[in-house]
Structure formats: structure tokens, C-alpha cells
Amino acid sequence: MKDNSPIKFLDLKAINKAFEPELSDTLLQISRSGQYVNGEISTTFEKNFADYIGTNHCISLGNGTNALELILQAYLIMGHLKEGDEILVPANTFFATFLAISNQGLKPVAVEPELYSFNISSRSLEQKITRKSRALVLVHLFGRNAYSEEIRQLIDKHQLKLIEDNAQAVGCIFKGVKTGALGHVAAHSFYPTKNLGALGDAGAVTTNEPELASIIRALTNYGGKEKYKFEYIGTHSKMDEIQAGVLNVKLPHLDKSNRRRTEIADAYLKGIDPQHVTLPMKTGPNQVLSHTWHLFTLLVEKREKLIQYLSQNGIETAIHYPIPPHLQPAYQKVNFGKLPLTEKIHREIISIPLHPELRDNEISTIIDTINNWEGK
């Protein structure tokens, strides 16, 4: 590399600098306003985000895990779920997806992925559906749409609730409809590393179901729809005005930054020699932004050697994720069955740098460095 500086896996400082001076002006305005929670800015964000996703309702809250938990809790209150019901969930996902299910007294049923898309396999899904299955938490992992006609048919046939985990895929589209509006309800995360990232933790729920939206909003407010009157055993989960203001600044630019991510991913897919690494599946034809490339992931048998090699050449990497949920200590007494594809992915996966501020020369350096690896 010409300047001998490392290529960061993710450069949040550079990403946020691209929104200046509007970002700093917004933060200053909020700090001087005296209104930091439950204000007009978060209300405005809810409208803006609902319009963007294409739903009638958006409830802003503290984080993406809360979003999943409160969706499930609301369905329990409404009688659509009961304690002990089976919730189908991708085996290949972050631990928080399983955690949200277990925290509501529900049973996560792990479903194997497709190997090269990393998302849930419709064939494996069909095999795991039982009389006790009540919902599917569909994770659009790494920014790739996981929905399909096959999954839609299974949802309809078995009358399942479709809950989207859209934490990594905001802006993703399937046949003209954005993820987050494909199912009955969706959970979103705006953790700083996400494609649409706040400056702290934040999340949201989107849905077209008015009763569900009303109950979830109450649950974020200790369980009350009116001040000091609480109908449910809720929690406290609010998006503050600072995070809402940041997201209002960034949202209009999201599609542009997602297109840049797609350009970088295309360069990787065309330029990286698959001799020693396995590339992720390409997006299908005529699917505009069908994959927003939150992460660009490779499968490598000799992962640690590649990580060491790239590090020696000034390229940072990450592993998403080293231990699958079903092998976590918290679930050591639960038998999820055999999940060999999931375990292979978690054993071999490596993520390489991909973000909108990555420079063209850095992209070329990453490609050339990987191609010069002998794989030994």
C-alpha cells in the first residue's frame, strides 16, 4: 500500500464525516432544544422510516433485540402465541435472535441455511415445521433478502406469523417491496455499525397491523397507553431524540450508500480468485438492491492463516460469527439436532472490509492481496 496505513474493517469516523456539517448542526440543535426523549424528532423519524419501508406503522425503540422481544410479547398478549410454542429461526444467525425468542418463554427451532447465501433454506424450513410451529423469524442476514416465493407458500400453508429480522438489510428489496414490509411485522436495528447507523443504540418495529403496533408502543412505555396507567407488564425502551435526529439526517442518503456497497461487492465478486476462498452467492438477475451488502463474507478452510496473512498486509478482518447460537454455553442443555452446514459456516467464515467510504485503491489492494495468498 502506498501510504502504509492499514485498511480498517469499518471506519465509522469516515462514514459519519460524510454527513457533515448537517450531522453536527443537528446534534447542536437537539442539545439546545431541551427535549431529549419523546419529542417531535423521533415522531418525524417514525413517519420517515415507515414511508421508506412502506408500512403504515413504525415504533421507534431502544435497540433491535428489544424490537424482536416486544413483537413476540405482543403476539403473546394478543393470543397468537402461547408459552412453549415453536418459533422457527435460522440456525445461522447472531445469538440475539435466539435470545429474543427464549426470553419470551418460546422455543427456538433452528433451521439450516443455504451454504452460499448464508440465509435460511426453504427446503430445510419445510422439514422443521410441526403442529406446534406458530411463527418464523426470518433473518435477512448480512444484508441479503431471505424471502422467497417458496417461503411465502410455506407461511400461507401453515398459517405462520412472519416476523422479519431486518437488522442488517435495511433498503433491501424483493420484487419491488422492501424487507421490513414483506411479513406481518419486522424488527430493525440502528446500531452504529449498521448500514443505517445511529451514534448509539436504537431500533424500530414496522408493521401494517394497527393493534399489534398499539400494543408494542405501549410495551415500550412500561406497558401503558396512557400516562401512569399500565395495561401490560411492559418495559422501558425508547429511541432518544439524538439518535432519531442522526437517523433523519442519514436516511435520505441510504440508497446511495447501499449502491456504493453493491459496487464494492461487485468488484470483489469479479476480482477475487476463488481458488482458495469461496465467494458468497451473487444476487439474482433484475433484483434492484436485492442485497445491500451489510457484510461481504468468504468461506475459507484455513481461516486463521488467511486472517494472519491479511493482517500482516495491513488489512483488518472480522468473523461473523465464531460460535453459532445452538453451540453457545447458554443452550448447552438444549438439543437442536444436527446442524452441520451452520457449523461449517461458523468455522470457516471471514468478513473483509466493505463500507461506503472504502476507496477504490483500497478495494484493489484487498483483491490483489487475497489473490496473492497461496492458501497454505
Side-chain angles (χ1 to χ4, degrees), residues 115-365:
L115 191 56
Y116 304 118
S117 76
F118 304 107
N119 274 328
I120 197 168
S121 161
S122 59
R123 182 177 299 179
S124 298
L125 175 62
E126 187 171 19
Q127 294 170 351
K128 289 294 185 81
I129 296 174
T130 72
R131 292 180 180 180
K132 296 181 181 180
S133 302
R134 294 292 180 269
L136 165 63
V137 175
L138 185 67
V139 181
H140 303 293
L141 195 67
F142 304 152
R144 183 188 294 272
N145 163 55
Y147 189 71
S148 65
E149 285 298 325
E150 292 79 11
I151 287 177
R152 181 192 63 78
Q153 290 170 11
L154 289 172
I155 292 293
D156 292 345
K157 178 181 177 181
H158 298 279
Q159 298 182 313
L160 303 174
K161 288 294 183 182
L162 178 56
I163 302 166
E164 295 178 78
D165 182 337
N166 201 42
Q168 297 184 354
V170 63
C172 204
I173 294 175
F174 175 78
K175 294 187 174 180
V177 180
K178 286 193 173 74
T179 54
L182 292 165
H184 298 96
V185 63
H188 306 263
S189 170
F190 307 115
Y191 190 74
T193 59
K194 299 297 193 289
N195 291 27
L196 180 62
L199 295 186
D201 221 342
V205 171
T206 54
T207 183
N208 286 318
E209 298 184 2
E211 182 183 5
L212 179 64
S214 177
I215 293 173
I216 292 172
R217 188 174 295 281
L219 289 173
T220 69
N221 186 44
Y222 308 100
K225 296 179 181 179
E226 301 176 24
K227 192 172 184 179
Y228 299 131
K229 183 179 180 180
F230 307 104
E231 300 172 56
Y232 315 111
I233 304 297
T235 187
H236 182 243
S237 182
K238 301 286 179 66
M239 179 188 294
D240 63 61
E241 295 290 274
I242 289 176
Q243 308 313 328
V246 169
L247 295 172
N248 280 330
V249 169
K250 291 185 174 185
L251 183 57
H253 306 279
L254 177 60
D255 287 345
K256 180 181 178 181
S257 66
N258 280 343
R259 284 192 291 270
R260 175 56 177 165
R261 288 175 179 270
T262 300
E263 290 174 1
I264 297 169
D266 285 345
Y268 285 156
L269 289 168
K270 293 174 183 176
I272 295 176
D273 185 348
Q275 181 179 3
H276 299 298
V277 302
T278 300
L279 296 168
M281 184 185 295
K282 296 181 180 180
T283 55
N286 303 319
Q287 293 186 17
V288 178
L289 287 179
S290 62
H291 195 345
T292 56
W293 297 103
H294 172 60
L295 297 171
F296 192 92
T297 50
L298 310 170
L299 293 180
V300 189
E301 289 186 5
K302 299 177 181 180
R303 180 173 65 187
E304 295 305 320
K305 290 188 176 182
L306 178 57
I307 290 172
Q308 183 180 10
Y309 167 76
L310 292 175
S311 177
Q312 290 171 347
N313 283 274
I315 299 171
E316 293 182 358
T317 58
I319 298 175
H320 297 88
Y321 304 96
I323 305 173
H326 73 279
L327 295 181
Q328 292 289 347
Y331 285 120
Q332 61 182 334
K333 295 182 180 180
V334 180
N335 181 11
F336 287 99
K338 295 182 178 180
L339 299 165
L341 293 181
T342 296
E343 292 177 17
K344 174 181 173 63
I345 288 171
H346 286 249
R347 188 169 59 248
E348 298 182 5
I349 200 165
I350 175 176
S351 301
I352 61 176
L354 193 158
H355 60 81
E357 299 307 311
L358 201 63
R359 299 189 297 270
D360 288 345
N361 67 306
E362 293 176 320
I363 297 166
S364 297
T365 296

